[in-house]
Amino acid sequence: MMPDATLARDILGAVDEGFEDQIAFTEALIRFPSLRGAEKPAQDFIAGELERRGYAVDSFTIDIERIHDHPGFSPVVGVDYAQAVNVVATHRPHRETGRSLILNGHMDVVPEGPPEMWEVSPPFVPRRVGDWLYGRGGGDMKAGIAANLFALDALRRLGFQPAARVHFQSVVEEECTGNGALACLVEGYTADAAIIPEPVDERLVRANVGVLWFDVDVAGHPVHVREAGSGANAIEAGYRVIAALKELAEAWNAEKSGHPHFAELDHPINFNVGRIEGGDWASSVPAWCRLSCRIAIYPGDDPAARAREIEAHLANVLADDAFLGNRPPKVTWNGFFARGYVLEEGSEAEAALARAHGLAAGSALSSFVSPAYLDARVFVIYAGMPCLVYGPLSESVHGFDERVSLASIRRVTGAIALFIADWCGLEPVTGPEG
């Protein structure tokens, strides 16, 4: 049950009281350049903070052997998981009377691009300007990790803790595979509901796409540039591959009417060539080119079936190509192989979040459909849990001068604290023994 008006006001006041410490904590997280493969220092930091608070902490490395046969696994080729560490802290109440909860967030961030193109502050140097906190990963999603933790801190400040089991998760691999959240599930961490405070502008994600990552290797025929006409330029051939994949993406977009949550979106299926490399010498016709690609799929789509469709489409379109028809490009699935999901309406968890948001933000909770990947698919599809993706207003995530609204962080933290009180119930921090 939602706490009475006096307690709700006290909870929001406790969030306010700890807010400056919360933002300083978020700034500390931003200072860690927790790019893929380099997350461990940040994970060690947060594990220490959780231990200092008295939680039982489990830090473990993602074990491919334990998860590769799971239907939610995303394939990885040539990726070293030796430093891919998840952190899970567990709170157990004196007496279990409420509903259990997972508070999840990802510590990994995307590359920052050329640092000189950041105008407000260097990417891993947090800076506050008015209502905005700048820095890579501040919005996506270190502010959300801090909100989860400081919501619990706010309740403790009042002498309360959840009257149910709570798992606080800081995971990796969200930006590339989703294998971090999946590894937590395979390790046995489940609950009655989950919250992920991604940067979604204080709205609830109703549905989101699945995502496929793949590399396309294109071969060429190298000759000296003086005889360029007798060779085959792999980089130029790569453009023909890109054109074919864009054509397929438009065909998939035309299917949106068959997917009710996506029918009103202008362009739900986005295709992106995120990286291109190739060639060996400016005066040699390039012998090779690699395209690293991302494309979305609809909820309900089988990633394997869509992968076969991509391969078949490339083979068909390029069959008459003067060069690629005889040397077809090779597709390697290396990253997201993830289904989309729909959060069905009417759950008790959503109703509890709506109540909490109403008190913290003074407005009704709205929802939207996201054309991006979210780890919520792990909980919704493979654990049957309602997962509430709800977090602060942010701008330029994955871009230059990423920033997150301080006022929005405050409201979201208050809503999470109120949700915990409602969903889990509260009990005194001091146990029956005194």
Side-chain angles (χ1 to χ4, degrees):
M1 294 290 293
M2 178 58 65
D4 62 34
T6 298
L7 180 54
R9 185 171 59 248
D10 289 346
I11 290 172
L12 294 177
V15 168
D16 290 343
E17 185 180 341
F19 193 66
E20 179 57 37
D21 288 342
Q22 178 179 344
I23 299 307
F25 183 89
T26 307
E27 291 172 334
L29 291 180
I30 291 172
R31 291 188 183 96
F32 289 99
S34 51
L35 301 162
R36 189 183 196 187
E39 305 98 335
K40 191 173 185 300
Q43 293 290 69
D44 289 345
F45 171 79
I46 200 163
E49 289 292 316
L50 292 161
E51 289 170 349
R52 185 173 64 81
R53 286 165 168 80
Y55 294 112
V57 177
D58 178 16
S59 296
F60 63 94
T61 303
I62 298 174
D63 184 350
I64 292 293
E65 293 302 312
R66 283 181 58 80
I67 65 174
H68 71 82
D69 290 331
H70 192 282
F73 175 67
S74 292
V76 287
V77 179
V79 177
D80 184 2
Y81 270 14
Q83 300 295 309
V85 175
N86 284 335
V87 175
V88 181
T90 298
H91 157 79
R92 296 189 183 279
H94 305 303
R95 192 163 66 92
E96 189 99 18
T97 60
R99 293 167 289 196
S100 57
L101 179 64
I102 288 173
L103 297 170
N104 174 279
H106 66 86
M107 187 64 77
D108 54 314
V109 302
V110 300
E112 70 276 23
E116 65 273 14
M117 297 184 74
W118 287 65
E119 296 182 359
V120 177
S121 182
F124 298 107
V125 179
R127 183 181 178 192
R128 302 187 212 183
V129 180
D131 182 52
W132 297 103
L133 173 61
Y134 287 81
R136 169 58 84 232
D140 191 12
M141 62 165 292
K142 292 176 178 179
I145 291 176
N148 279 340
L149 181 58
F150 278 77
L152 292 168
D153 284 356
L155 298 175
R156 282 190 172 192
R157 196 171 290 113
L158 296 174
F160 293 111
Q161 62 184 17
R165 174 173 44 86
V166 176
H167 299 301
F168 176 100
Q169 298 180 347
S170 178
V171 304
V172 298
E173 288 285 292
E174 192 274 347
E175 297 286 6
C176 46
T177 64
N179 286 341
L182 182 69
C184 287
L185 179 63
V186 171
E187 289 293 323
Y189 292 107
T190 62
D192 295 317
I195 288 180
I196 306 180
E198 288 274 12
V200 292
D201 303 348
E202 299 182 48
R203 296 179 292 168
L204 176 68
V205 176
R206 175 63 59 206
N208 87 301
V209 295
V211 170
L212 302 178
W213 268 21
F214 55 100
D215 294 332
V216 184
D217 287 298
V218 183
H221 183 74
V223 296
H224 192 287
V225 70
R226 70 187 179 191
E227 302 167 339
S230 65
N233 189 310
I235 293 174
E236 291 179 359
Y239 287 111
R240 302 198 292 278
V241 173
I242 293 170
L245 291 169
K246 285 185 173 181
E247 179 184 84
L248 180 62
E250 292 313 305
W252 289 2
N253 273 294
E255 299 175 12
K256 66 180 184 178
S257 60
H259 301 272
H261 289 91
F262 295 83
E264 301 303 317
L265 270 63
D266 290 338
H267 205 265
I269 302 301
N270 291 315
F271 165 73
N272 185 57
V273 182
R275 186 175 180 180
I276 182 169
E277 53 186 331
D280 302 296
W281 195 250
S283 291
S284 297
V285 171
W288 66 280
C289 176
R290 172 170 291 175
L291 309 170
S292 294
C293 304
R294 176 267 196 203
I295 195 168
I297 60 176
Y298 294 104
D301 285 352
D302 177 7
R306 286 299 198 183
R308 290 191 296 270
E309 191 173 341
I310 290 171
E311 293 172 342
H313 177 78
L314 286 177
N316 180 58
V317 170
L318 299 174
D320 296 329
D321 187 278
F323 183 74
L324 295 177
N326 294 317
R327 300 187 70 175
K330 177 185 177 183
V331 179
T332 301
W333 303 97
N334 190 16
F336 285 123
F337 211 72
R339 292 176 178 269
Y341 78 93
V342 173
L343 177 69
E344 299 295 344
E345 297 184 46
S347 72
E348 293 184 19
E350 182 176 335
L353 180 62
R355 291 190 293 269
H357 173 81
L359 289 172
S363 61
L365 178 65
S366 62
S367 64
F368 77 109
V369 173
S370 171
Y373 171 82
L374 294 166
D375 268 347
R377 60 105 189 183
V378 170
F379 305 105
V380 173
I381 298 173
Y382 302 113
M385 296 166 48
C387 184
L388 309 172
V389 178
Y390 164 84
L393 170 66
S394 299
E395 294 182 352
S396 297
V397 296
H398 290 216
F400 299 130
D401 295 314
E402 177 179 351
R403 64 183 191 172
V404 58
S405 164
L406 297 172
S408 183
I409 294 171
R410 188 191 301 263
R411 290 190 294 269
V412 165
T413 307
I416 294 172
L418 291 169
F419 176 88
I420 294 169
D422 186 341
W423 183 257
C424 300
L426 297 177
E427 66 178 15
V429 171
T430 304
E433 296 81 17

